């Protein structure tokens, strides 16, 4: 079993990370090697998913899925000089090695998850697995999806890429856990790029790795096999291309292409596409008279349409217009209420997402349970996932507040007016589009990229704090806050997922499950009914050992960030 996990990891590294080098746009004055590789990784995911979708639509044998891998291998052979150049680039090497180490830590964490628990998260982990199996013709669509959501309620790209990887490794649930975790872990790449752009220098990559490994929202979404974090990867990679001083037609087209791939992964990316796309077009209003600018916008729109229309056409042809456009929970939720009710509901959604749910948790029957430790776990999990303030993590909040107080908060990013308009629009739209009023908040649906942008800004300044001899008090404060987040949002969570939180010696699983909340009981029941062992069943790792590994890597990355920052200041 350990060998199989290593094999899965190597497949991903070769196919997605290596394939990203083969598909990377040529680095030029307007595109750094690291940006080119990150874009190529996005295209590799899109290519593998597109190959599966083409096979699914055409009805040919599953062996044709290998065509995606053949294309990647051919591209690597034809462009071997470009691949070698990217491999020699210091920033690309550091990004790849730091991501690799981070992904291994995440794999250790997911090997402690005996069953999913935390807040009201249920069904999604099973549904996404069934969607990937559907594309491999391992189950019937109608028989399996009617009790979840209509098939067109969610876009397919991450499930298609997952299916492409499972076609090689085998479609067991443990293999699905590994591949979805690796896909989600890609969100680290654009976060690190933003931290460098915000002024973090060489040390920013290590600081970002430490930051994401101490951020409950990142860890919990990375180890839960759904598609929100891989969506954040596409969104942030696209924004990094769009928001640059060297705004060239190539960056514009590639940026909107990546935002479109994000929309094909999870519809929450549409919020970012609308907000930033609209703000970008508005900020360039004076350039509409230029034929070159109009051609660039037209090419970006045509590229986005070419990427999105196959999925849209498939939905209309097979399910009709109504099911294709009205199946999403946002549409169905708004359709149940009138205009006045919807406007009032938006105010409630904003309130619930910004104000911590201290008293609201106790009112929900879904959290009723006799185990006090798991009750505390659900409350802490909800704070870090659904509340927009605590989602950033308390160390990030403290560092951002310090930067603001010292007037050191302005990141080195052009188009300040664009961000000034787009970020508030993202916050309002990202909360408002949720179809129903969730009393616990909805920060984790559309606003994960925003949280990661905040982390990137904090990570850009963290190396300077670590190397500054006069910042001892701030370092002590950040360490104390990180310890609180680790205890409440990470250690507590994975002890709960290991089914060990408050479990006495000799307590049977049935007796322990009886004290859990209905959601955790449902998840455990679905696992037992499905009969598919988790990675934790095949390669069990004690939850406390996984936490020790995580802390060791965090200390290692912080030490590296401090060393690089010190060397930079001395030079």
């Amino acid at each position: 079993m350990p060998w199989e996990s290593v094999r899965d990891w190597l497949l991903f590294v070769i196919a997605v990370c290596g394939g990203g080098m083969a598909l990377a746009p040529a680095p030029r004055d307007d595109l750094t090697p690291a940006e080119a590789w990150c874009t190529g990784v996005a295209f590799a995911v899109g290519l593998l998913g597109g190959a599966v979708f083409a096979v699914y639509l055409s009805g040919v044998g599953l062996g044709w899925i290998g065509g995606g891998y053949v294309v990647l291998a051919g591209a690597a052979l034809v462009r071997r000089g470009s691949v070698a150049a990217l491999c020699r680039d210091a920033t690309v090497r550091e990004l790849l090695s730091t991501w690799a180490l981070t992904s291994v830590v995440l794999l250790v964490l997911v090997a402690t998850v005996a069953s999913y628990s935390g807040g009201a998260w249920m069904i999604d982990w099973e549904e996404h697995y069934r969607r990937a199996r559907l594309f491999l013709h391992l189950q019937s669509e109608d028989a399996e999806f009617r009790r979840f959501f209509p098939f067109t309620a969610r876009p397919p790209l991450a499930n298609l890429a997952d299916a492409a990887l499972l076609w090689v490794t085998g479609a067991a649930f443990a293999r699905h856990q590994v591949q979805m975790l690796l896909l989600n872990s890609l969100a680290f790449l654009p976060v690190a790029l933003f931290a460098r752009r915000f002024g973090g220098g060489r040390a920013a990559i290590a600081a970002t790795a430490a930051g994401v490994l101490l951020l409950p929202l990142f860890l919990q979404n990375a180890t839960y096999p759904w598609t929100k974090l891989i969506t954040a990867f596409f969104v942030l990679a696209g924004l990094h291309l769009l928001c640059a001083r060297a705004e060239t037609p190539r960056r514009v087209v590639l940026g909107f292409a990546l935002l479109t791939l994000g929309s094909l992964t999870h519809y929450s990316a549409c919020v970012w596409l609308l907000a930033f796309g609209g703000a970008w077009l508005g900020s360039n209003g004076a350039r509409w008279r230029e034929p070159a600018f109009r051609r660039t916008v037209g090419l970006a729109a045509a590229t986005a349409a070419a990427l999105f229309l196959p999925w849209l056409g498939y939905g209309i042809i097979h399910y009709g217009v109504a099911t294709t456009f009205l199946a999403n929970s946002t549409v169905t939720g708004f359709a149940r209420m009138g205009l006045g009710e919807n406007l009032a509901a938006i105010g409630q959604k904003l309130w619930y997402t910004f104000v911590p749910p201290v008293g609201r948790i106790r009112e929900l029957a879904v959290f009723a349970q006799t185990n006090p430790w798991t009750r505390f776990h659900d409350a802490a999990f909800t704070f870090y996932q659904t509340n927009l303030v605590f989602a950033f993590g308390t160390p990030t909040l403290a560092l951002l507040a310090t930067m603001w107080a010292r007037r050191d908060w302005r990141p080195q990013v052009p188009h300040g007016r664009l961000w000034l308009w787009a970020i508030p629009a993202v916050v309002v739209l990202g909360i408002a589009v949720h179809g129903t009023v969730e009393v616990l908040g909805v920060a984790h649906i559309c606003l994960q990229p925003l949280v990661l942008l905040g982390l990137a800004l904090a990570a850009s300044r963290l190396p300077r704090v670590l190397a500054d001899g006069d910042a001892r008090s701030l370092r002590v404060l950040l360490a104390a806050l990180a310890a609180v987040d680790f205890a409440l949002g990470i250690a507590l969570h994975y002890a709960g997922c290991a089914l060990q939180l408050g479990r006495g010696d000799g307590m049977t699983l049935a007796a322990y499950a009886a004290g859990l909340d209905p959601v955790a009981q449902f998840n455990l029941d679905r696992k037992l009914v499905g009969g598919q062992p988790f990675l934790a069943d095949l390669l069990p790792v004690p939850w406390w050992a996984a936490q020790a590994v995580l802390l060791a890597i965090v200390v290692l990355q912080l030490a590296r960030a401090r060393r690089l920052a010190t060397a930079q200041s001395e030079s």
Side-chain angles (χ1 to χ4, degrees), residues 4-65:
E4 291 182 354
S5 298
V6 173
R7 178 203 63 186
D8 295 348
W9 184 84
L10 286 174
L11 169 67
F12 190 90
V13 170
I14 294 171
V16 176
C17 299
M21 293 185 179
L23 298 183
R28 297 173 190 161
D29 292 340
D30 67 331
L31 204 66
T32 67
E35 288 177 315
W37 177 56
C38 191
T39 303
V41 168
F43 288 162
V45 173
L47 174 65
L48 291 174
V52 175
F53 195 49
V55 169
Y56 181 73
L57 292 181
S58 63
V60 299
L62 289 179
W64 286 94
I65 292 176

Side-chain angles (χ1 to χ4, degrees), residues 115-118 120-125 224 518-528 534:
S115 182
Y116 294 106
S117 64
W121 285 14
M122 58 191 291
I123 297 179
D124 302 270
W125 63 271
Y224 191 78
V519 171
Q521 291 180 358
F522 176 86
N523 286 330
L524 181 57
D525 178 70
R526 291 308 309 167
K527 172 191 174 179
L528 298 176
F534 282 25

Side-chain angles (χ1 to χ4, degrees), residues 455-466:
L455 174 65
L457 182 54
S460 71
R461 298 301 189 270
L462 181 60
R464 194 181 309 170
V465 172
L466 294 173

Side-chain angles (χ1 to χ4, degrees), residues 387-446:
N387 179 261
L388 184 56
V389 178
F390 284 93
F392 284 91
T394 55
T396 296
L397 291 175
L399 193 49
L400 293 178
T402 303
M403 292 165 60
W404 179 276
R406 295 176 178 177
R407 299 183 181 276
D408 187 31
W409 62 274
R410 292 182 178 85
Q412 299 176 9
V413 174
H415 306 302
R417 185 174 298 179
L418 185 154
W419 291 85
L420 184 63
W421 285 98
I423 291 297
V426 161
V427 172
V428 175
L429 283 175
I431 295 172
V433 296
H434 197 272
T436 57
V437 177
E438 296 288 348
V439 298
L440 300 178
V442 291
H444 64 301
I445 304 296
C446 297

Side-chain angles (χ1 to χ4, degrees), residues 139-506:
Q139 62 188 56
S140 166
E141 178 177 324
D142 291 338
E144 300 296 343
F145 284 96
R146 285 180 180 173
R147 67 187 182 89
F148 290 109
F149 304 97
F151 184 57
T152 54
R154 303 180 187 272
L157 182 55
N159 307 127
L160 289 165
D162 180 29
L165 296 163
L166 295 182
W167 176 74
V168 177
T169 66
F173 185 78
R175 313 270 66 80
H176 163 73
Q177 284 182 296
V178 171
Q179 299 303 343
M180 284 302 300
L181 178 143
L182 294 173
L183 286 169
N184 283 323
S185 70
L186 293 175
F188 163 78
L189 299 178
V191 179
L193 290 181
F194 265 111
R196 284 176 58 86
R197 176 173 288 179
F198 289 158
R202 286 189 61 201
I205 296 176
T208 301
V212 298
L213 289 177
L214 287 175
L215 183 66
L217 179 136
F218 184 92
L219 295 182
Q220 292 161 3
N221 280 276
T223 55
Y224 191 78
W226 64 358
T227 59
K228 291 181 176 60
L229 205 52
I230 176 64
T231 303
F233 160 70
F234 286 116
V235 168
L236 294 177
L239 292 185
H240 197 271
L241 292 174
L242 284 176
C243 302
R245 290 183 177 87
E247 185 181 275
T248 62
R250 186 167 69 145
R251 292 185 74 97
V252 171
V253 173
L254 291 174
F256 279 108
L258 295 188
L259 286 171
T260 304
L261 290 178
S263 300
L264 279 169
T265 306
H266 194 282
Y267 288 134
S268 63
C270 295
V271 168
W272 292 83
L273 184 60
L274 289 172
F276 269 88
W280 182 85
L281 290 173
S283 66
N284 287 282
R287 299 178 58 191
W288 280 101
R289 301 186 186 91
E290 303 172 13
F293 180 77
R294 293 197 297 271
R295 285 195 298 270
T296 298
V297 173
L299 181 58
T303 302
L307 291 172
F308 200 85
L309 284 178
W311 167 244
L312 189 63
Y314 168 79
I316 292 173
I317 292 171
H318 287 269
Y319 298 94
V321 174
T323 302
T324 300
F325 288 98
L326 304 179
N328 187 262
S329 59
T330 295
V331 179
T332 57
F334 275 90
R336 286 194 293 264
M337 299 183 289
L339 177 60
E341 292 175 303
N342 277 313
L343 291 176
I346 291 174
Q348 288 180 295
K349 296 171 191 176
L350 290 167
W351 174 264
Y352 289 147
T353 301
F354 276 97
V355 178
V358 179
R360 302 193 298 273
I361 294 177
R362 294 193 297 267
E363 301 172 2
L364 298 178
V366 73
F367 290 146
Q369 53 200 298
T370 58
N371 186 327
W373 282 102
T374 56
R375 186 188 303 117
F376 185 38
H377 163 227
D378 281 333
F381 178 91
T382 301
F383 265 71
Y384 287 110
Q385 279 295 330
T386 62
N387 179 261
L388 184 56
V389 178
F390 284 93
F392 284 91
T394 55
T396 296
L397 291 175
L399 193 49
L400 293 178
T402 303
M403 292 165 60
W404 179 276
R406 295 176 178 177
R407 299 183 181 276
D408 187 31
W409 62 274
R410 292 182 178 85
Q412 299 176 9
V413 174
H415 306 302
R417 185 174 298 179
L418 185 154
W419 291 85
L420 184 63
W421 285 98
I423 291 297
V426 161
V427 172
V428 175
L429 283 175
I431 295 172
V433 296
H434 197 272
T436 57
V437 177
E438 296 288 348
V439 298
L440 300 178
V442 291
H444 64 301
I445 304 296
C446 297
L447 301 182
Q448 290 192 33
L450 178 62
V451 171
L452 295 177
L453 280 172
L455 174 65
L457 182 54
S460 71
R461 298 301 189 270
L462 181 60
R464 194 181 309 170
V465 172
L466 294 173
D468 186 358
D470 297 328
R472 184 175 182 276
S473 297
L474 180 56
R475 289 196 296 271
V476 171
L477 173 63
L478 294 177
L481 293 174
V484 172
D485 280 7
F486 173 79
L488 299 183
I490 299 174
L492 199 65
H493 174 66
Y494 289 100
C497 289
L499 302 178
Q500 297 300 318
L501 196 57
R503 186 172 181 177
D505 294 337

